[in-house]
Amino acid sequence: MSLDADISALIAWCSSRNVWIDPRLRIVAGPHGVAVYSRGTSIPSGTTLVRIPRASVLSVKSSPISHLIPASPYGRSAQLSLALALSVELANGEMSAWHGYLQSLPRDIPGLFWAGATSTRGDSFTTGWLAGTEAAKLLANLDDEIEEYYRMVARPMYEQLRISRPSLQDFRHVCGLVSSRAFLVDAYHGLSMVPIADAFNHIQDNHVHIETDFDVCPECGSLRQCPHDDDTGDGSTDDGDDDQEDTYEMVSNRPIPAGSEIFNTYGETLSNAQLFVQYGFVLDVNENDCITFSSVELAEVLGGDRVPDQLLNSLTALPWDDMVDSELVYVDGSRRFCINSDALISHSLWLLLALHLLPQIPEKPHDSLIRDLENAFHHQLTLERCIGTDSEVVAPTPPVLDDEADAASSPNLYGIIPNMARLLVSLCRRRAEALTGCGKSSEELGDIFDSLPVDGNPTRMAISLVLTERSLLDSCAAAWESAMRATR
Ligand SMILES: C[S@@+](CC[C@H](N)C(=O)[O-])C[C@H]1O[C@@H](n2cnc3c(N)ncnc32)[C@H](O)[C@@H]1O
């Protein structure tokens, strides 16, 4: 069947299951599979465009074999449980209550690791391209976990149910469908396949989003009072408010121009590494891209002397308002140790390095430690201003201390920044070495990238991740080398 025929069958199934689709929408075949467009009229913000009855989603709870599937609330285990429920429905073919929806799902998901690293389109791909990347970290153990779940849980279940047994490759494909399409809808259904809501493609600056009442009864899914509420203890149910609709909705959050593609966002903060691993595509430019450092990587450069976690956590939670003036550091809301898409280091990483370089930290009173860190940071800002000028770089004078006692107990703040720069350059160089790119230089990778098809080629996407990460590491190291030179 063609994609157009699949879409017609999907729409017929939706109407049989009371999935309401605003007539101003068109569901069509686009360059990335199914896509949703507006027709000839623009649509204002705040419009409900799709209503999906809660009973029509496919979840572990709504699956006919829910009593046999180990349910998990979130994470990879929730994805695997849903993949098992979905694989059984797919194996049931036309007998499945979701058949009209399931037949519209893609049969090939190139470049999506959940579905198996190779593609039936014949792209030859090796995960070697990803060595040392953020994507490689996210993929850790994925292949093995899928295979183990298939052997230990899924295959015995297929045998018990006496259905035609999906192969490991079939199961991987179903895992890919779950990874790239499922929504966490509420406390009862949890991770679910949501027809039509999953037809929208992704953009960061989205037009629509899903709205659900998340806090339903986790036992029976009721939106109202139910026998599982223990507040009243009387086991009564509330049959009132029958108008309250049990639906999930796709709602516009900005005006949608006439005749344009309507996008959802799969997450406003998703980096290309996350999009690649979970959805099998990357954006041309992604300001969420970043390079994160694990505690193991940091320990390799900093040595065994650990900064106490509690101290670091309390310091990273402070506002650090002056950091907005920096061209080397930014305040990272999620407090990761990382380099962002502008090659700036996160404030958590800066504080970790500064604390590592300051002597006698545990003995210092908290206030005096904060003052030292602020002084060190102001010293860095002065340096940054020197780097930015055309005039010959002048080494700034060390900060003036309030009184003699301060002067006696103060560490050499002047020396912290060049030492921090040395550590950062070393951190960047080590990480860049791990980004082997199958032994290719960035020029060679650029040539291969240019020679590959633009759409959906996993090797092209993997190379773009390597090139972006190499360039961020080079820019970050170069900026801190300039800071180092400015202090000479
Ligand atoms: C939830 S589905 C969206 C509907 C999908 N196009 C389909 O054919 O059913 C997610 C998948 O759509 C594709 N996709 C979504 N947004 C994309 C984008 N901005 N660029 C490329 N592919 C995209 C990817 O294959 C992704 O795994």
Side-chain angles (χ1 to χ4, degrees):
M1 256 209 311
S2 70
L3 188 51
D4 286 334
D6 292 345
I7 292 171
S8 303
L10 168 68
I11 290 171
W13 178 86
C14 285
S15 119
S16 74
R17 297 293 295 258
N18 296 326
V19 176
W20 178 80
I21 304 167
D22 190 305
R24 287 171 290 182
L25 303 193
R26 277 189 316 134
I27 298 175
V28 293
H32 311 300
V34 177
V36 185
Y37 278 75
S38 58
R39 291 185 193 272
T41 46
S42 56
I43 299 171
S45 183
T47 310
T48 297
L49 293 170
V50 186
R51 277 200 195 95
I52 305 132
R54 294 172 70 229
S56 69
V57 304
L58 173 54
S59 68
V60 169
K61 287 280 178 48
S62 68
S63 151
I65 56 158
S66 62
H67 56 293
L68 298 174
I69 301 182
S72 291
Y74 44 77
R76 243 182 226 176
S77 53
Q79 289 173 307
L80 291 168
S81 298
L82 179 57
L84 177 52
L86 176 56
S87 66
V88 169
E89 289 311 305
L90 283 164
N92 284 339
E94 291 184 12
M95 304 292 288
S96 167
W98 288 273
H99 178 65
Y101 162 57
L102 300 180
Q103 59 76 44
S104 74
L105 300 179
R107 292 164 191 109
D108 180 23
I109 319 179
L112 189 58
F113 301 91
W114 293 79
T118 51
S119 151
T120 50
R121 275 202 215 159
D123 309 310
S124 66
F125 179 76
T126 154
T127 46
W129 290 113
L130 292 172
T133 60
E134 290 294 309
K137 286 187 189 177
L138 296 170
L139 280 168
N141 303 328
L142 177 67
D143 237 27
D144 294 346
E145 275 182 42
I146 292 179
E147 185 165 349
E148 182 171 336
Y149 187 89
Y150 176 79
R151 278 194 301 105
M152 306 302 289
V153 185
R155 202 166 51 186
M157 181 77 64
Y158 303 143
E159 274 156 23
Q160 186 182 339
L161 295 170
R162 294 168 198 271
I163 54 173
S164 95
R165 191 172 84 188
S167 66
L168 173 59
Q169 185 49 38
D170 295 335
F171 185 69
R172 285 191 193 287
H173 173 76
V174 177
C175 289
L177 291 174
V178 168
S179 162
S180 61
R181 317 182 74 87
F183 290 79
L184 189 61
V185 287
D186 63 35
Y188 176 72
H189 282 293
L191 198 65
S192 308
M193 303 297 286
V194 189
I196 305 299
D198 66 0
F200 294 84
N201 287 318
H202 165 89
I203 205 171
Q204 264 151 12
D205 196 8
N206 56 318
H207 302 98
V208 292
H209 62 277
I210 192 163
E211 286 190 4
T212 72
D213 279 312
F214 196 87
D215 292 322
V216 297
C217 171
E219 299 290 321
C220 67
S222 173
L223 273 166
R224 308 170 186 89
Q225 205 177 346
C226 76
H228 306 105
D229 294 338
D230 44 27
D231 290 355
T232 57
D234 61 3
S236 64
T237 53
D238 174 10
D239 294 332
D241 194 13
D242 279 340
D243 290 344
Q244 194 174 9
E245 289 193 56
D246 281 5
T247 55
Y248 305 120
E249 299 182 347
M250 296 305 290
V251 180
S252 60
N253 43 264
R254 66 182 169 103
I256 302 167
S260 63
E261 179 163 2
I262 306 177
F263 290 98
N264 186 9
T265 180
Y266 305 163
E268 284 163 17
T269 59
L270 291 177
S271 65
N272 271 350
Q274 289 168 310
L275 286 172
F276 188 41
V277 168
Q278 199 171 343
Y279 299 94
F281 72 92
V282 296
L283 301 177
D284 289 342
V285 179
N286 191 332
E287 62 188 27
N288 296 322
D289 283 346
C290 66
I291 292 171
T292 57
F293 295 99
S294 67
S295 42
V296 174
E297 280 173 285
L298 292 165
E300 279 166 8
V301 169
L302 303 185
D305 246 4
R306 277 178 64 87
V307 172
D309 286 345
Q310 212 183 354
L311 174 68
L312 189 60
N313 289 341
S314 70
L315 289 170
T316 50
L318 297 174
W320 300 105
D321 292 332
D322 291 347
M323 290 196 180
V324 294
D325 296 328
S326 173
E327 291 187 5
L328 294 171
V329 185
Y330 77 103
V331 178
D332 182 72
S334 50
R335 302 193 214 152
R336 299 162 298 174
F337 302 122
C338 63
I339 297 173
N340 74 1
S341 62
D342 291 324
L344 310 189
I345 66 163
S346 65
H347 77 296
S348 312
L349 182 54
W350 189 92
L351 286 168
L352 172 75
L353 297 176
L355 290 169
H356 173 78
L357 293 165
L358 282 173
Q360 302 151 354
I361 293 166
E363 290 88 47
K364 280 236 163 195
H366 209 243
D367 287 352
S368 128
L369 185 57
I370 292 173
R371 209 167 50 231
D372 283 348
L373 290 165
E374 280 171 349
N375 282 335
F377 194 76
H378 287 147
H379 173 55
Q380 178 183 309
L381 286 179
T382 314
L383 263 178
E384 288 184 35
R385 280 191 285 274
C386 290
I387 300 166
T389 58
D390 288 339
S391 61
E392 208 173 298
V393 169
V394 181
T397 42
V400 178
L401 300 170
D402 292 347
D403 56 35
E404 279 179 25
D406 261 358
S409 67
S410 175
N412 178 12
L413 299 172
Y414 193 69
I416 283 181
I417 305 306
N419 286 333
M420 183 183 288
R422 245 167 246 124
L423 289 173
L424 277 164
V425 171
S426 159
L427 209 52
C428 291
R429 297 275 178 257
R430 273 167 170 265
R431 183 61 178 270
E433 275 165 28
L435 281 170
T436 55
C438 287
K440 305 264 187 259
S441 69
S442 292
E443 286 81 46
E444 288 168 326
L445 289 180
D447 290 343
I448 301 173
F449 177 90
D450 289 338
S451 70
L452 293 169
V454 175
D455 258 339
N457 184 290
T459 305
R460 193 174 198 271
M461 292 190 258
I463 288 176
S464 82
L465 296 180
V466 177
L467 289 173
T468 303
E469 292 188 19
R470 277 191 186 168
S471 142
L472 287 182
L473 290 165
D474 283 351
S475 305
C476 182
W480 285 91
E481 271 164 350
S482 303
M484 216 150 53
R485 276 197 300 276
T487 57
R488 281 195 195 125

